[in-house]
Amino acid sequence: MMKTTITALALAASAAVANAGEIEVLHWWTSGGEAKAATALKLSLQKSGHRWRDFAVAGGGGDSAMTVLKSRVVSGNAPSAAQIKGPSIQEWAREGVLANIDDVAKAEKWNDLLPPVVSDIMKYKGSYVAVPVNVHRINWLWTNPAVFAKAGAKVPTNWDEFFTAAEALKKAGVVPVAHGGQNWQDFTTFEVVALGVGGADFYKKALVQLDQGTLKSPTMEKVLTTFKRVKDYTDKNAPGRDWNLATAMVIKGEAGMQIMGDWAKGEFLAAGKVPGKDFGCTPAPGTAKSYSFNIDSFALFQLKDESKIAAQKELAKQIMAPEFQEVFNLNKGSIPVRLGMSMDRFDECAKVSAKDFVDTAKAGTLLPSIAHGMAVPSAAEGAIKDAVSQFWNTDKMTAQEAMEKIASAAKTK
Ligand code: BGC
């Protein structure tokens, strides 16, 4: 009996090794919380005997990673899997370089386990070419309660209250708004202000449909003026600062608040901070009833080597497995993308996010993030991002001028 078991195990092990492949995974998860989450992914894959080759390209928001990806694919040396999101998945699929993973999706019943708003993004011409990892909410305000108490400030729910709180924090001698002056962070702030000041309908028309009239409307002007006012409450060292260092300012009490997606929560947690006690998560001013979302996903590239293909399929399967969905998202700050997951082990911020994701979908106020690659084709996104960032960084540019620039950037094909 003993002998049989050992032989069976030995056979199983040699089968696993024979089939074991290496998978090279491109991602940009290099901050404290992100790296913990990426490790969870690596461990899930390694459990099945495959090897993980890390292809991490630092740089929040992933612009550098996407540049490196393009050059690798052009030189005929694509990684097995790459963190690619939203409409870019379709753009890559149109190039004919992505692998069809319908067999995994069918066996694992992804169509039943994903809301259509998610599965549609993962498919090209009806076939799965990418696998989703999580749902991030962008429109959050992260606060340090001790700093707010010291300043006698109240956590804002609208933009008037935001500037009142910012003034109080300034008087108390802290940086009111922790910000990193990189174009994608400026753009994240802009997106959140647009949603809060303009509302969901405005956001949809202006930043999803790229409607020229809405992009040049008085509401857009108000959004831009409010956005620029936020800059007055950032510090002079903001230019170039990485987002996680801005989060660290809130963690350490050097700053009062940060506008950022909930990967910021991953940083608070990695620093041992407790939500509701050491830090607060509140929907950003004016956005409690809307939700701008960002779904991280991995697109799989076509490969020839059988063992690598096996590893690639295993990765796709593991990503959607409940155990991985839980451990990854507990570290990442996001919520599981797989439907029907228990939220018991998640904190209040994640519970609010999960509830709001469902409620806003029903109310029609669940919106794709423009700053994080979910709303419009990448060329238009890049051009608008540059125009928004130029406005943020150019003191003498008026909101009117910025509006013209953004509207013309929106026409980029
Ligand atoms: C990604 C997150 C990542 C963040 C900062 C976002 O675009 O979706 O996963 O943590 O950028 O790098």
Side-chain angles (χ1 to χ4, degrees), residues 81-275:
Q83 193 185 343
I84 301 179
K85 296 188 287 187
S88 290
I89 296 174
Q90 314 299 315
E91 293 170 14
W92 280 107
R94 270 198 293 278
E95 297 293 318
V97 289
L98 297 188
N100 179 322
I101 49 167
D102 275 343
D103 50 350
V104 183
K106 202 161 173 218
E108 301 297 318
K109 304 196 167 51
W110 290 1
N111 275 346
D112 301 335
L113 294 171
L114 292 172
V117 64
V118 176
S119 55
D120 287 352
I121 304 170
M122 305 301 138
K123 292 178 187 172
Y124 177 65
K125 295 194 172 158
S127 287
Y128 280 94
V129 291
V131 51
V133 183
N134 61 357
V135 180
H136 271 303
R137 186 181 201 172
I138 311 298
N139 55 311
W140 284 112
L141 183 71
W142 306 94
T143 53
N144 182 317
V147 170
F148 265 70
K150 186 178 121 200
K154 174 178 162 293
V155 174
T157 60
N158 59 44
W159 287 97
D160 285 342
E161 289 177 9
F162 177 88
F163 292 113
T164 305
E167 271 302 317
L169 291 162
K170 192 171 164 186
K171 285 210 182 75
V174 293
V175 177
V177 182
H179 183 74
Q182 297 174 345
N183 65 358
W184 73 271
Q185 294 186 64
D186 305 339
F187 202 23
T188 302
T189 303
F190 170 77
E191 162 174 330
V192 171
V193 174
L195 191 56
V197 172
D201 286 345
F202 165 81
Y203 181 99
K204 197 184 291 170
K205 279 198 202 112
L207 302 178
V208 183
Q209 295 163 358
L210 302 180
D211 174 67
Q212 285 288 314
T214 315
L215 284 169
K216 293 189 200 168
S217 63
T219 309
M220 181 68 168
E221 192 171 355
K222 193 169 168 211
V223 165
L224 285 165
T225 313
T226 311
F227 165 65
K228 194 67 179 275
R229 225 179 129 193
V230 175
K231 192 182 178 199
D232 296 341
Y233 296 96
T234 62
D235 67 322
K236 66 173 189 340
N237 295 326
R241 177 188 287 136
D242 287 331
W243 68 271
N244 54 319
L245 299 182
T247 310
M249 292 167 69
V250 181
I251 294 176
K252 290 188 229 152
E254 295 165 7
M257 46 190 174
Q258 182 185 19
I259 296 167
M260 189 48 69
D262 43 21
W263 46 91
K265 194 183 77 183
E267 296 304 300
F268 285 101
L269 299 180
K273 301 297 173 191
V274 178

Side-chain angles (χ1 to χ4, degrees), residues 317-348:
K317 182 176 154 190
Q318 290 295 336
I319 286 177
M320 277 289 289
E323 306 76 37
F324 169 76
Q325 286 280 317
E326 182 173 88
V327 64
F328 178 88
N329 286 299
L330 283 170
N331 285 301
K332 188 70 172 67
S334 40
I335 56 170
V337 71
R338 182 185 166 116
L339 294 171
M341 291 276 304
S342 158
M343 293 300 288
D344 287 356
R345 290 190 60 207
F346 286 84
D347 58 35
E348 276 313 304

